[in-house]
Amino acid sequence: MQLRIENSIIHEFYRHDEQMGLRLAPEALPEDEQLHELLEELTQVYVNKPAKGYASFLTEADDGERSQFPDILKQWQQDELQFVEFSQQASRLLLQQLQNYKMLEAGFLLITRYQHLSTDYLLVAFLPVKEGVSINPDLAVNKSSQLDISKVQLAARIDLTEWATNRDSERYISFIKGRAGRKVSDFFLDFLGCTERLNSKSQTQTLIEAVNEYGQQAELEPQQRQSLNAVAYEYCDQQWKQGEDVRVKDLSEHFAQAQPADKSFADFSRDYAEQQQAELPEEFPADKSTLRKLVKFQGQGGGVSVGFDHTQLGERIDYDAATDTLTIHGTPPNLRDQLRRYFGIDS
């Protein structure tokens, strides 16, 4: 990933007597090989996060208390603030939110402006730390703190180009939707002064339901429906990997080539969404984890977890709806070995 770094700085948040403290950097980071490696790793981790939300800054029409972050961002963009001063003010706003939410996690706030493919971005990320050991030049073991980039859960990327040219957009901010629940993402959104506008998980789920219903109403054979789902998954997954939106019209054209029908999927999905009172835009960013439902059955409950590819249904796996029973012909080798050892059966 070729990044052109414009500005970058890191500020430290630390714990002291069950309180959060802030140590501000006095100047921006020099652009060197280490900084490029850090940003390339971080942006790759960010891009590969399967669950993201999409937001825009709060407006007067929105409820809730507005943060000063959009105001200082605008001042910096208009050269009323220098980058370092902007970043320091932003860090103080984050400190307030950490105190308000009683979050005591130490780490570093990275704020960097970079260009990629002619688009101007501002990446704001809270970098957690992990304790480790290292060997110093005297060959002694030292305890040290290291950045834990792979565990980043608080990060947002603002498309400055879109924000400047299309203030009515509802998705010029993307952010990681963490696994720890809404509280974590809410806290970070409050700091940025934005609100989630687009639910890619819900829209991807509506798309999957529309694809399944399309195959049923067309009275396709199970194998044909599996093929249709595979086409949908391949297209949507490729769009996700490239950072591009899923376009219902394009998917409809893929379906027309794979399985010609009297009614196009584009027309069908529009009617389906209206009937279900669900939102399915003409184009939207897909949710990676939800996409797997196109090609995989998976569920858990009551101490049982089951998952298998659609192609296995009717082959190695049979389902009896009358008795709600799954029959598996041939278990996975690692599961088979565990069962044989448990029952004392010689391999």
Side-chain angles (χ1 to χ4, degrees):
M1 181 179 290
Q2 296 296 319
L3 307 178
R4 194 178 83 184
I5 302 172
E6 301 289 343
N7 312 96
S8 194
I9 197 167
I10 293 178
H11 302 292
E12 181 183 11
F13 290 82
Y14 61 90
R15 293 176 57 176
H16 179 69
D17 294 335
E18 295 304 311
Q19 296 289 328
M20 288 303 300
L22 172 62
R23 188 163 70 94
L24 295 171
E27 58 187 17
L29 293 166
E31 185 178 351
D32 55 22
E33 184 178 351
Q34 288 78 14
L35 178 60
H36 270 275
E37 289 179 357
L38 170 63
L39 291 179
E40 287 179 2
E41 180 182 358
L42 178 58
T43 51
Q44 198 62 52
V45 167
Y46 181 84
V47 168
N48 289 338
K49 288 288 183 179
K52 294 191 187 69
Y54 297 86
S56 64
F57 291 128
L58 289 168
T59 66
E60 294 179 356
D62 295 309
D63 295 330
E65 185 178 349
R66 295 182 62 192
S67 168
Q68 295 180 356
F69 184 87
D71 298 327
I72 62 174
L73 176 60
K74 186 176 181 180
Q75 291 173 24
W76 168 51
Q77 291 287 277
Q78 295 177 345
D79 294 326
E80 297 174 10
L81 283 178
Q82 296 298 312
F83 174 74
V84 172
E85 186 179 0
F86 154 70
S87 71
Q88 291 176 344
Q89 290 192 28
S91 298
R92 294 188 184 99
L93 292 176
L94 178 57
L95 179 62
Q96 291 176 9
Q97 291 299 329
L98 287 169
Q99 293 169 339
N100 290 342
Y101 280 78
K102 295 181 172 56
M103 299 184 70
L104 301 177
E105 182 180 359
F108 298 87
L109 181 68
L110 169 67
I111 302 178
T112 184
R113 177 187 178 182
Y114 69 90
Q115 285 193 350
H116 177 59
L117 300 178
S118 302
T119 301
D120 206 9
Y121 292 106
L122 182 72
L123 181 64
V124 183
F126 190 83
L127 309 180
V129 295
K130 63 180 178 180
E131 296 299 323
V133 293
S134 60
I135 307 298
N136 66 20
D138 297 330
L139 301 183
V141 177
N142 280 343
K143 184 178 180 180
S144 61
S145 296
Q146 301 174 337
L147 294 177
D148 196 0
I149 301 297
S150 63
K151 295 296 193 297
V152 169
Q153 290 295 328
L154 296 174
R157 188 170 71 173
I158 303 171
D159 186 331
L160 296 174
T161 301
E162 185 173 356
W163 182 52
T165 57
N166 184 14
R167 292 295 175 95
D168 293 331
S169 171
E170 296 186 337
R171 43 176 293 190
Y172 50 79
I173 301 173
S174 63
F175 64 95
I176 295 173
K177 302 191 75 166
R179 298 178 181 177
R182 285 289 302 168
K183 184 176 180 180
V184 174
S185 57
D186 281 350
F187 132 74
F188 208 62
L189 296 187
D190 287 349
F191 153 60
L192 294 173
C194 62
T195 186
E196 186 174 6
R197 309 280 187 186
L198 188 155
N199 191 328
S200 62
K201 188 178 185 71
S202 174
Q203 292 170 353
T204 304
Q205 180 62 37
T206 300
L207 177 71
I208 292 171
E209 292 170 358
V211 170
N212 290 333
E213 188 66 23
Y214 182 64
Q216 287 183 7
Q217 291 198 16
E219 297 182 346
L220 300 180
E221 296 295 327
Q223 189 172 0
Q224 293 175 310
R225 291 176 57 192
Q226 290 174 7
S227 176
L228 209 63
N229 280 25
V231 168
Y233 180 80
E234 182 178 354
Y235 165 74
C236 294
D237 184 57
Q238 188 65 27
Q239 293 297 101
W240 184 87
K241 288 177 179 177
Q242 295 177 352
E244 299 287 341
D245 285 354
V246 166
R247 296 176 178 83
V248 175
K249 182 180 178 181
D250 291 348
L251 179 57
S252 182
E253 292 175 357
H254 283 289
F255 280 175
Q257 295 175 4
Q259 193 69 48
D262 294 334
K263 187 173 186 178
S264 72
F265 177 71
D267 292 337
F268 174 86
S269 63
R270 194 179 302 112
D271 295 340
Y272 175 83
E274 185 176 340
Q275 292 168 4
Q276 300 297 317
Q277 296 183 338
E279 185 180 2
L280 185 60
E282 291 295 321
E283 56 182 76
F284 62 93
D287 179 75
K288 175 70 171 179
S289 57
T290 307
L291 281 177
R292 297 190 185 99
K293 295 180 181 179
L294 281 167
V295 292
K296 191 179 183 75
F297 293 110
Q298 190 167 0
Q300 60 183 17
V304 176
S305 178
V306 180
F308 56 91
D309 293 343
H310 282 197
T311 55
Q312 298 303 307
L313 191 62
E315 296 291 333
R316 290 178 58 193
I317 298 175
D318 295 318
Y319 177 61
D320 186 334
T323 59
D324 191 26
T325 303
L326 276 180
T327 302
I328 303 174
H329 303 279
T331 56
N334 55 353
L335 175 59
R336 181 172 62 249
D337 291 344
Q338 293 176 59
L339 291 172
R340 293 179 70 88
R341 283 197 298 269
Y342 181 82
F343 286 106
I345 301 172
D346 293 334
S347 301

